[in-house]
Structures are given as C-alpha cells and as structure tokens.
Amino acid sequence: MYYHDKRLQYPVRVEKPDPLFARQLQQAIGGIEGEIRVCLQYFFQAWGARAPNNKYRDLLLNTATEEMGHVEMLATAVALNLEDAPLSAQEEGAADKVVGAVMGGESTRQVLEGMMQRHLLSTGLTAFPANSDGVPFDCSHIYASGNIAADMCCNVAAEATGRTLAVRLFNSTSDPGMRDMLHFMIARDTMHQQQWLAVIEEIGGTAALPIPNSFDQRQEHQRFSYFMMGTSRDGTPPPEGRFSTGPSMDGRGEFYAGHFEPLGEEPVLGPARPLSGAQSEQINSKALAAECP
C-alpha cells in the first residue's frame, strides 16, 4: 500500500520559464538515465526479493518511493518551465517573457522549433513519460535479476548515470530555482550510490564474487576464469593494468594476460529445410557444392 502527500518532497520553483529546459528535463523523467527507470527498477527488485532478512526489500521500497517523488518534482518543473511557452507562431505577446528573458531575442517560431512539440500538441504544456526526444519510456532498461548482488551493481550504475545527467542539467540552466532543485537531486544520487555500495560491502563485497557465488566454480573452465584475453589481429597483447596481473578481485585466482587464438572451427550449417523459403540451391546441398569453386 502507498500513501500520497500533496506536498512535494523538495521545493520546485522556476524564476524564468524556459521551454527548452523543459525539454531537457524530460530526459530526467523518461530517459534511460531517468527517474522512472530507477523508480520501477527498485520496486521490481523489492517485490521479487527473496532473502531470510527483509531489510534489503525495505530499503529498496523506501528508495523506490522516494524516486516516485522525484518524478513528481520533475513533472512539476517541466510544467512550470512551460508556463509562458508560446502556443502558436503568431502569439508574440504571450511569449515576451520567454523570448526576452530566456531566449535572448529569438523569435517565437524559434522557441516553438526548439521546445518539445508534444508539450504543445499532446499534453497541454505538461510533462509526459518520455525522453528529451519524445521517445516513450518502455521499461527495457529495468534490471531486476533476483540476485541481490547483481541488482546492487545495476543500481550503482543507474545512480551513477543518473547523477551524471543531473549534473549536466545543472550546468545547462542558470535559473536559481532549478539549480536549487538539482542541488537536492544530485545530493540524493550521491546517497543512493553510497547505500547500494554499502549493501554490496555488507553482503561480502569482492569476497562474494563472482556473481552468482552459489555456482560451483569447479564446474567452469577455470583456466579462463582470470585470463585477460587479447583479441587484436596482429597478436598485440592486451593493455596492462590491475585487471591483467596480480590477485583477482575475489582473491581466488591470479590475473594473467595473453593473445588468444581461436579454439573452435569455422561453423558450417546444414542445408536449408524444404519449407523454409530458401533458394533451391540452398536446400539441395549437393547442387550448391557443385556451383561453389
């Protein structure tokens, strides 16, 4: 069960409405780095969590609910940035504040061309669940594997890319209200990175590698388990680094590096099946072989 409080999680104010920035904010709502993504990712990880202790489920639910509040804040910010957006190329008067204060003298037509047209045509100057190009959010970047360590690694990556986007948005605006809101959201991204890393440490850190650690490593080809594979055509060895020499991160092996030669053969598939829609020569393998030099 979820409860709603009409108050925003953090104040959202816009001093100089900017329809172009409203478009940029859409990436933080429905982009692959955005808040809908992490909100749903944490919810589905929580709803499917299987563990003797429910504390990680509770942590995920708390953070997912917080992220829902971030979507609400961003949607409000989009709407406020569209307050004075022109509704037509002829509406010069209504757009004066935007054109004069934000666009540096650009025409209303230029404002319309730069803003998200769906804000005008589909939503009545409000936000919608899509990225800055208008591509709807489709959940294809929501990762909930059922493995707590794997999910925490995904969550660190999600918060890292989300914080990167928030910093870029911060650098894209001079509006004091928007910068204040982003100050808060960037701080929360910092915390979320830290909390997921703390969970990883709590469940064993590098000692819990590889993921999943429940698989018996004796069943894998262990001579390849810590091999840094060089694949250059001329036999150049792979780059040297922490990843190519010394103890492995899990402490169970030693990194080593070298050029890798293919161990398999060139694949040769059988003839096409008669009802597959292939050419007769593909189906009749003898005829095809006779034509080949």
Side-chain angles (χ1 to χ4, degrees), residues 19 22 54 56-57 77 99 130 136 144 150 204 214 227 229 246 251 256 258 261 269 272 279 284 289-290:
N54 269 345
Y56 299 133
R57 181 180 187 275
V99 175
S214 55
F227 174 52
M229 185 183 295
Y256 69 102
E261 290 292 335
L269 305 181
Q279 291 296 93
N284 186 343

PDB file of all heavy atoms in Angstrom, residues 19 22 54 56-57 77 99 130 136 144 150 204 214 227 229 246 251 256 258 261 269 272 279 284 289-290:
ATOM      1  N   PRO A  19      11.137  26.842 -22.054  1.00  0.00           N
ATOM      2  CA  PRO A  19      10.598  25.637 -22.693  1.00  0.00           C
ATOM      3  C   PRO A  19      11.676  24.695 -23.220  1.00  0.00           C
ATOM      4  O   PRO A  19      11.448  23.496 -23.325  1.00  0.00           O
ATOM      5  CB  PRO A  19       9.724  26.184 -23.825  1.00  0.00           C
ATOM      6  CG  PRO A  19      10.213  27.567 -24.065  1.00  0.00           C
ATOM      7  CD  PRO A  19      10.699  28.069 -22.752  1.00  0.00           C
ATOM      8  N   ALA A  22      12.640  22.692 -20.284  1.00  0.00           N
ATOM      9  CA  ALA A  22      11.574  21.723 -20.034  1.00  0.00           C
ATOM     10  C   ALA A  22      11.800  20.470 -20.864  1.00  0.00           C
ATOM     11  O   ALA A  22      11.609  19.342 -20.393  1.00  0.00           O
ATOM     12  CB  ALA A  22      10.211  22.340 -20.366  1.00  0.00           C
ATOM     13  N   ASN A  54      14.363  -9.181   5.509  1.00  0.00           N
ATOM     14  CA  ASN A  54      13.636  -8.287   4.625  1.00  0.00           C
ATOM     15  C   ASN A  54      14.213  -6.877   4.571  1.00  0.00           C
ATOM     16  O   ASN A  54      13.627  -6.001   3.945  1.00  0.00           O
ATOM     17  CB  ASN A  54      12.162  -8.185   5.060  1.00  0.00           C
ATOM     18  CG  ASN A  54      11.298  -9.222   4.360  1.00  0.00           C
ATOM     19  OD1 ASN A  54      11.712  -9.828   3.378  1.00  0.00           O
ATOM     20  ND2 ASN A  54      10.104  -9.425   4.874  1.00  0.00           N
ATOM     21  N   TYR A  56      16.697  -5.526   2.996  1.00  0.00           N
ATOM     22  CA  TYR A  56      17.030  -5.001   1.677  1.00  0.00           C
ATOM     23  C   TYR A  56      15.765  -4.731   0.869  1.00  0.00           C
ATOM     24  O   TYR A  56      15.702  -3.777   0.084  1.00  0.00           O
ATOM     25  CB  TYR A  56      17.964  -5.962   0.937  1.00  0.00           C
ATOM     26  CG  TYR A  56      19.278  -6.169   1.657  1.00  0.00           C
ATOM     27  CD1 TYR A  56      19.810  -7.440   1.845  1.00  0.00           C
ATOM     28  CD2 TYR A  56      19.976  -5.081   2.192  1.00  0.00           C
ATOM     29  CE1 TYR A  56      20.999  -7.626   2.526  1.00  0.00           C
ATOM     30  CE2 TYR A  56      21.171  -5.263   2.880  1.00  0.00           C
ATOM     31  CZ  TYR A  56      21.673  -6.536   3.041  1.00  0.00           C
ATOM     32  OH  TYR A  56      22.853  -6.701   3.723  1.00  0.00           O
ATOM     33  N   ARG A  57      14.750  -5.551   1.064  1.00  0.00           N
ATOM     34  CA  ARG A  57      13.454  -5.280   0.440  1.00  0.00           C
ATOM     35  C   ARG A  57      12.913  -3.944   0.932  1.00  0.00           C
ATOM     36  O   ARG A  57      12.440  -3.117   0.132  1.00  0.00           O
ATOM     37  CB  ARG A  57      12.466  -6.400   0.760  1.00  0.00           C
ATOM     38  CG  ARG A  57      11.091  -6.212   0.139  1.00  0.00           C
ATOM     39  CD  ARG A  57      10.169  -7.376   0.506  1.00  0.00           C
ATOM     40  NE  ARG A  57       8.902  -7.299  -0.200  1.00  0.00           N
ATOM     41  CZ  ARG A  57       7.853  -6.580   0.203  1.00  0.00           C
ATOM     42  NH1 ARG A  57       7.937  -5.892   1.322  1.00  0.00           N
ATOM     43  NH2 ARG A  57       6.740  -6.565  -0.509  1.00  0.00           N
ATOM     44  N   ALA A  77       8.371  20.657 -12.482  1.00  0.00           N
ATOM     45  CA  ALA A  77       9.360  21.576 -13.061  1.00  0.00           C
ATOM     46  C   ALA A  77       9.133  21.768 -14.552  1.00  0.00           C
ATOM     47  O   ALA A  77       9.275  22.880 -15.079  1.00  0.00           O
ATOM     48  CB  ALA A  77      10.768  21.054 -12.796  1.00  0.00           C
ATOM     49  N   VAL A  99      10.831  34.901 -24.638  1.00  0.00           N
ATOM     50  CA  VAL A  99      11.702  35.350 -25.726  1.00  0.00           C
ATOM     51  C   VAL A  99      12.716  36.360 -25.225  1.00  0.00           C
ATOM     52  O   VAL A  99      13.909  36.266 -25.518  1.00  0.00           O
ATOM     53  CB  VAL A  99      10.851  35.948 -26.870  1.00  0.00           C
ATOM     54  CG1 VAL A  99      11.754  36.535 -27.947  1.00  0.00           C
ATOM     55  CG2 VAL A  99       9.963  34.880 -27.473  1.00  0.00           C
ATOM     56  N   ALA A 130       8.388  10.250 -21.296  1.00  0.00           N
ATOM     57  CA  ALA A 130       9.235  10.055 -22.470  1.00  0.00           C
ATOM     58  C   ALA A 130      10.537  10.804 -22.254  1.00  0.00           C
ATOM     59  O   ALA A 130      10.674  11.595 -21.316  1.00  0.00           O
ATOM     60  CB  ALA A 130       8.525  10.543 -23.731  1.00  0.00           C
ATOM     61  N   PRO A 136       8.856   7.339 -25.948  1.00  0.00           N
ATOM     62  CA  PRO A 136       8.239   6.890 -24.698  1.00  0.00           C
ATOM     63  C   PRO A 136       9.138   5.945 -23.912  1.00  0.00           C
ATOM     64  O   PRO A 136       9.881   5.142 -24.490  1.00  0.00           O
ATOM     65  CB  PRO A 136       6.968   6.155 -25.174  1.00  0.00           C
ATOM     66  CG  PRO A 136       6.696   6.699 -26.534  1.00  0.00           C
ATOM     67  CD  PRO A 136       8.044   6.992 -27.131  1.00  0.00           C
ATOM     68  N   ALA A 144      16.037  -6.329 -12.788  1.00  0.00           N
ATOM     69  CA  ALA A 144      15.652  -6.955 -11.519  1.00  0.00           C
ATOM     70  C   ALA A 144      15.871  -8.451 -11.683  1.00  0.00           C
ATOM     71  O   ALA A 144      14.993  -9.179 -12.131  1.00  0.00           O
ATOM     72  CB  ALA A 144      14.203  -6.640 -11.179  1.00  0.00           C
ATOM     73  N   ALA A 150      23.869  -8.808  -7.896  1.00  0.00           N
ATOM     74  CA  ALA A 150      23.772  -8.330  -9.271  1.00  0.00           C
ATOM     75  C   ALA A 150      22.915  -7.073  -9.345  1.00  0.00           C
ATOM     76  O   ALA A 150      23.260  -6.101 -10.034  1.00  0.00           O
ATOM     77  CB  ALA A 150      23.190  -9.425 -10.172  1.00  0.00           C
ATOM     78  N   GLY A 204      29.327  -8.992   1.496  1.00  0.00           N
ATOM     79  CA  GLY A 204      30.590  -9.669   1.233  1.00  0.00           C
ATOM     80  C   GLY A 204      31.554  -8.924   0.356  1.00  0.00           C
ATOM     81  O   GLY A 204      32.729  -9.287   0.278  1.00  0.00           O
ATOM     82  N   SER A 214      26.859 -18.747  -5.788  1.00  0.00           N
ATOM     83  CA  SER A 214      26.309 -20.063  -5.440  1.00  0.00           C
ATOM     84  C   SER A 214      26.680 -21.136  -6.461  1.00  0.00           C
ATOM     85  O   SER A 214      26.465 -22.327  -6.218  1.00  0.00           O
ATOM     86  CB  SER A 214      24.784 -19.976  -5.331  1.00  0.00           C
ATOM     87  OG  SER A 214      24.220 -19.455  -6.532  1.00  0.00           O
ATOM     88  N   PHE A 227      41.667 -14.861 -17.033  1.00  0.00           N
ATOM     89  CA  PHE A 227      42.516 -14.608 -18.195  1.00  0.00           C
ATOM     90  C   PHE A 227      42.069 -13.346 -18.903  1.00  0.00           C
ATOM     91  O   PHE A 227      40.922 -13.233 -19.332  1.00  0.00           O
ATOM     92  CB  PHE A 227      42.442 -15.812 -19.140  1.00  0.00           C
ATOM     93  CG  PHE A 227      43.175 -15.612 -20.450  1.00  0.00           C
ATOM     94  CD1 PHE A 227      44.491 -15.191 -20.464  1.00  0.00           C
ATOM     95  CD2 PHE A 227      42.538 -15.875 -21.657  1.00  0.00           C
ATOM     96  CE1 PHE A 227      45.163 -15.031 -21.662  1.00  0.00           C
ATOM     97  CE2 PHE A 227      43.202 -15.714 -22.850  1.00  0.00           C
ATOM     98  CZ  PHE A 227      44.524 -15.288 -22.859  1.00  0.00           C
ATOM     99  N   MET A 229      41.963 -11.518 -22.051  1.00  0.00           N
ATOM    100  CA  MET A 229      42.080 -12.004 -23.422  1.00  0.00           C
ATOM    101  C   MET A 229      42.437 -10.893 -24.395  1.00  0.00           C
ATOM    102  O   MET A 229      41.722  -9.900 -24.525  1.00  0.00           O
ATOM    103  CB  MET A 229      40.752 -12.646 -23.843  1.00  0.00           C
ATOM    104  CG  MET A 229      40.785 -13.304 -25.197  1.00  0.00           C
ATOM    105  SD  MET A 229      39.153 -13.979 -25.662  1.00  0.00           S
ATOM    106  CE  MET A 229      38.953 -15.264 -24.411  1.00  0.00           C
ATOM    107  N   GLY A 246      48.412  -9.925 -11.124  1.00  0.00           N
ATOM    108  CA  GLY A 246      48.180  -9.860  -9.689  1.00  0.00           C
ATOM    109  C   GLY A 246      46.950 -10.640  -9.272  1.00  0.00           C
ATOM    110  O   GLY A 246      46.281 -11.278 -10.092  1.00  0.00           O
ATOM    111  N   GLY A 251      40.051 -12.811  -4.842  1.00  0.00           N
ATOM    112  CA  GLY A 251      41.101 -13.480  -4.083  1.00  0.00           C
ATOM    113  C   GLY A 251      41.221 -14.960  -4.348  1.00  0.00           C
ATOM    114  O   GLY A 251      41.940 -15.670  -3.645  1.00  0.00           O
ATOM    115  N   TYR A 256      46.080 -13.116 -15.429  1.00  0.00           N
ATOM    116  CA  TYR A 256      47.184 -13.219 -16.381  1.00  0.00           C
ATOM    117  C   TYR A 256      46.651 -12.825 -17.743  1.00  0.00           C
ATOM    118  O   TYR A 256      45.439 -12.823 -17.990  1.00  0.00           O
ATOM    119  CB  TYR A 256      47.796 -14.620 -16.405  1.00  0.00           C
ATOM    120  CG  TYR A 256      46.925 -15.710 -16.998  1.00  0.00           C
ATOM    121  CD1 TYR A 256      47.151 -16.174 -18.298  1.00  0.00           C
ATOM    122  CD2 TYR A 256      45.883 -16.286 -16.269  1.00  0.00           C
ATOM    123  CE1 TYR A 256      46.357 -17.177 -18.844  1.00  0.00           C
ATOM    124  CE2 TYR A 256      45.097 -17.286 -16.804  1.00  0.00           C
ATOM    125  CZ  TYR A 256      45.336 -17.726 -18.096  1.00  0.00           C
ATOM    126  OH  TYR A 256      44.548 -18.712 -18.636  1.00  0.00           O
ATOM    127  N   GLY A 258      47.322 -12.494 -22.229  1.00  0.00           N
ATOM    128  CA  GLY A 258      47.985 -13.027 -23.408  1.00  0.00           C
ATOM    129  C   GLY A 258      47.095 -12.923 -24.632  1.00  0.00           C
ATOM    130  O   GLY A 258      45.907 -12.620 -24.541  1.00  0.00           O
ATOM    131  N   GLU A 261      44.182 -17.306 -29.232  1.00  0.00           N
ATOM    132  CA  GLU A 261      43.960 -17.927 -30.531  1.00  0.00           C
ATOM    133  C   GLU A 261      42.640 -18.680 -30.511  1.00  0.00           C
ATOM    134  O   GLU A 261      42.312 -19.337 -29.513  1.00  0.00           O
ATOM    135  CB  GLU A 261      45.103 -18.901 -30.863  1.00  0.00           C
ATOM    136  CG  GLU A 261      46.434 -18.231 -31.149  1.00  0.00           C
ATOM    137  CD  GLU A 261      46.418 -17.432 -32.440  1.00  0.00           C
ATOM    138  OE1 GLU A 261      45.592 -17.756 -33.328  1.00  0.00           O
ATOM    139  OE2 GLU A 261      47.206 -16.467 -32.545  1.00  0.00           O
ATOM    140  N   LEU A 269      26.815 -24.729 -41.322  1.00  0.00           N
ATOM    141  CA  LEU A 269      25.440 -25.116 -41.040  1.00  0.00           C
ATOM    142  C   LEU A 269      24.939 -26.107 -42.087  1.00  0.00           C
ATOM    143  O   LEU A 269      25.448 -26.152 -43.215  1.00  0.00           O
ATOM    144  CB  LEU A 269      24.530 -23.891 -41.016  1.00  0.00           C
ATOM    145  CG  LEU A 269      24.940 -22.772 -40.052  1.00  0.00           C
ATOM    146  CD1 LEU A 269      23.918 -21.645 -40.124  1.00  0.00           C
ATOM    147  CD2 LEU A 269      25.066 -23.297 -38.635  1.00  0.00           C
ATOM    148  N   ALA A 272      19.351 -25.770 -45.976  1.00  0.00           N
ATOM    149  CA  ALA A 272      18.069 -25.189 -45.600  1.00  0.00           C
ATOM    150  C   ALA A 272      16.968 -26.240 -45.721  1.00  0.00           C
ATOM    151  O   ALA A 272      17.043 -27.158 -46.549  1.00  0.00           O
ATOM    152  CB  ALA A 272      17.758 -23.997 -46.494  1.00  0.00           C
ATOM    153  N   GLN A 279      16.356 -20.632 -51.252  1.00  0.00           N
ATOM    154  CA  GLN A 279      16.572 -20.991 -52.654  1.00  0.00           C
ATOM    155  C   GLN A 279      16.753 -22.506 -52.779  1.00  0.00           C
ATOM    156  O   GLN A 279      17.209 -23.181 -51.846  1.00  0.00           O
ATOM    157  CB  GLN A 279      17.822 -20.288 -53.190  1.00  0.00           C
ATOM    158  CG  GLN A 279      17.699 -18.779 -53.331  1.00  0.00           C
ATOM    159  CD  GLN A 279      16.662 -18.371 -54.340  1.00  0.00           C
ATOM    160  OE1 GLN A 279      15.509 -18.136 -53.966  1.00  0.00           O
ATOM    161  NE2 GLN A 279      17.047 -18.322 -55.618  1.00  0.00           N
ATOM    162  N   ASN A 284      19.182 -27.996 -51.737  1.00  0.00           N
ATOM    163  CA  ASN A 284      19.916 -29.096 -52.347  1.00  0.00           C
ATOM    164  C   ASN A 284      21.405 -28.829 -52.137  1.00  0.00           C
ATOM    165  O   ASN A 284      22.043 -28.144 -52.937  1.00  0.00           O
ATOM    166  CB  ASN A 284      19.587 -29.204 -53.842  1.00  0.00           C
ATOM    167  CG  ASN A 284      20.224 -30.423 -54.491  1.00  0.00           C
ATOM    168  OD1 ASN A 284      21.151 -31.017 -53.933  1.00  0.00           O
ATOM    169  ND2 ASN A 284      19.739 -30.780 -55.670  1.00  0.00           N
ATOM    170  N   ALA A 289      27.073 -27.188 -53.606  1.00  0.00           N
ATOM    171  CA  ALA A 289      28.506 -27.514 -53.539  1.00  0.00           C
ATOM    172  C   ALA A 289      29.128 -27.566 -54.928  1.00  0.00           C
ATOM    173  O   ALA A 289      30.281 -27.175 -55.120  1.00  0.00           O
ATOM    174  CB  ALA A 289      28.689 -28.854 -52.818  1.00  0.00           C
ATOM    175  N   ALA A 290      28.364 -28.064 -55.913  1.00  0.00           N
ATOM    176  CA  ALA A 290      28.882 -28.147 -57.272  1.00  0.00           C
ATOM    177  C   ALA A 290      29.104 -26.769 -57.874  1.00  0.00           C
ATOM    178  O   ALA A 290      30.003 -26.579 -58.710  1.00  0.00           O
ATOM    179  CB  ALA A 290      27.902 -28.935 -58.146  1.00  0.00           C
TER     180      ALA A 290
END
